[in-house]
Amino acid sequence: MSPRKSAAEARSTRRRIIDRGIAIASVEGLEGLTIGRLATDLGMSKAGILGHFGTKETLQLAVLEGASAVFVHSVWHPAEDAPPGLPRLRALCEAWIGYLEHERAVFPGGCLFTTASVEFDARGGRVRDAVARLSRVWRRRLAAEVRQAVAAGDLPAGTDPEQVTYELVGCYLALNQELQLLADPEAPARTRRALDRLLAPDAPVHPR
Amino acid sequence: MSPRKSAAEARSTRRRIIDRGIAIASVEGLEGLTIGRLATDLGMSKAGILGHFGTKETLQLAVLEGASAVFVHSVWHPAEDAPPGLPRLRALCEAWIGYLEHERAVFPGGCLFTTASVEFDARGGRVRDAVARLSRVWRRRLAAEVRQAVAAGDLPAGTDPEQVTYELVGCYLALNQELQLLADPEAPARTRRALDRLLAPDAPVHPR
């Protein structure tokens, strides 16, 4: 086998492990993502899995990174070409609803970040730090979009972007719970109604 | 030992197991609540623990029931004597903030229901059913309070109680995440601002 082909095959195997890892972790949590389970699912040896990642923690971090790429692809990419301001913010919010409604194709157990944030919030360590970092990055992205909508005059002057971001995050945590735990088909419509009120051009000012 | 004393001791031991189980499950999840861990923590034999509960699932259900009693004691009891309508709804919301801020005394890993709802939402079984049932009971309680506030004229006529409940749940899921994962001390103030807007007497009507 040529070295080039071998490197390509290693990348492809790594990719297969991460994809399967995302599916398992979304149901069982990142702690439930065992090397043994992955090896069985993929018909590989445990040593073969560990050869790609070294430790379970490195594997958990790679799965989290892979899930982040799926989120960016599903939520950010469909919206990034919309005009900055409220149109892009609304496009992001709509793609986010779609991600939570249809994510089961990718994350059979629901949004991996919500699961991981609850799983690791009471622990220390690199996985917790990575989950918190990704949450902060997404909040900053949302707050920047809200800020642009205010600058464009699409939202009232004096709006607090961090407050709107906080309430947006709450809407989506509720949507995830209603869909995953309670299987309520009304939940996406409820989310859109909450957004209509939160992002109305004449919404009451969100005080700082 | 008299039979009466023995029954009282059995209740007390059961109580100790449940209290310790709540603390462990809030950090490790209900699946991380192993008989072995409980036995070590309490200086009991595994058989001694199993004698009280029979199976791990029965133990998980008893711990969930125990956590529910803590929630009712912390959130419902402080508010139940407030006048029905907006005063009682606001009292409930304030007690709920306090519960999430100070719960670490009881739940070292944060709200057990949030953890359990994410842990079990992709699985079947009696524990998942119990978590979903408790979530529905709490949502119905909140919606009833909103309905009373509308009937009392404290919230606009035409308000959709289920919509307000959905948004309230979102606020608190966000509060839990901000406190537990991101350790943001601003989060309770953000929650109060969101409530001021959501429960304002002249809030825009929440359409059905």
Side-chain angles (χ1 to χ4, degrees), chain B residues 4-207:
Chain B
R4 192 182 302 176
K5 182 151 180 223
S6 146
E9 281 188 2
R11 275 198 304 276
S12 149
T13 303
R14 197 184 146 88
R15 187 68 252 166
R16 270 207 321 138
I17 298 171
I18 289 175
D19 286 347
R20 186 68 208 141
I22 290 173
I24 296 172
S26 81
V27 176
E28 310 284 349
L30 280 167
E31 283 297 356
L33 179 64
T34 62
I35 307 287
R37 167 76 186 274
L38 268 174
T40 307
D41 282 12
L42 296 170
M44 292 175 67
S45 68
K46 288 191 191 186
I49 307 267
L50 279 175
H52 284 272
F53 296 97
T55 66
K56 178 167 171 174
E57 190 179 64
T58 312
L59 170 66
Q60 289 172 323
L61 290 167
V63 164
L64 205 54
E65 205 57 51
S68 173
V70 172
F71 185 86
V72 167
H73 176 80
S74 309
V75 179
W76 176 243
H77 284 176
E80 65 181 333
D81 292 334
L86 202 52
R88 192 159 70 197
L89 182 55
R90 295 294 311 224
L92 265 184
C93 287
E94 198 49 44
W96 197 359
I97 291 176
Y99 160 80
L100 289 179
E101 267 190 295
H102 307 300
E103 68 189 347
R104 288 194 170 216
V106 187
F107 298 146
C111 177
L112 184 59
F113 297 102
T114 306
T115 304
S117 72
V118 161
E119 189 180 7
F120 284 91
D121 64 8
R123 311 179 194 191
R126 290 169 66 205
V127 178
R128 182 225 163 88
D129 292 348
V131 175
R133 181 177 52 75
L134 289 168
S135 296
R136 288 201 176 93
V137 165
W138 181 235
R139 279 167 162 79
R140 275 201 295 272
R141 171 82 271 161
L142 287 171
E145 297 297 323
V146 174
R147 207 164 278 121
Q148 284 201 317
V150 175
D154 295 339
L155 287 175
T159 295
D160 178 351
E162 276 72 30
Q163 179 71 25
V164 175
T165 297
Y166 174 87
E167 298 188 37
L168 282 174
V169 168
C171 278
Y172 285 88
L173 289 170
L175 176 59
N176 191 62
Q177 188 172 90
E178 297 266 337
L179 288 173
Q180 299 291 330
L181 180 69
L182 307 175
D184 183 353
E186 267 295 288
R190 293 215 178 285
T191 308
R192 291 190 182 98
R193 272 177 232 147
L195 295 175
D196 285 345
R197 222 165 50 79
L198 189 58
L199 303 179
D202 56 351
V205 167
H206 313 276

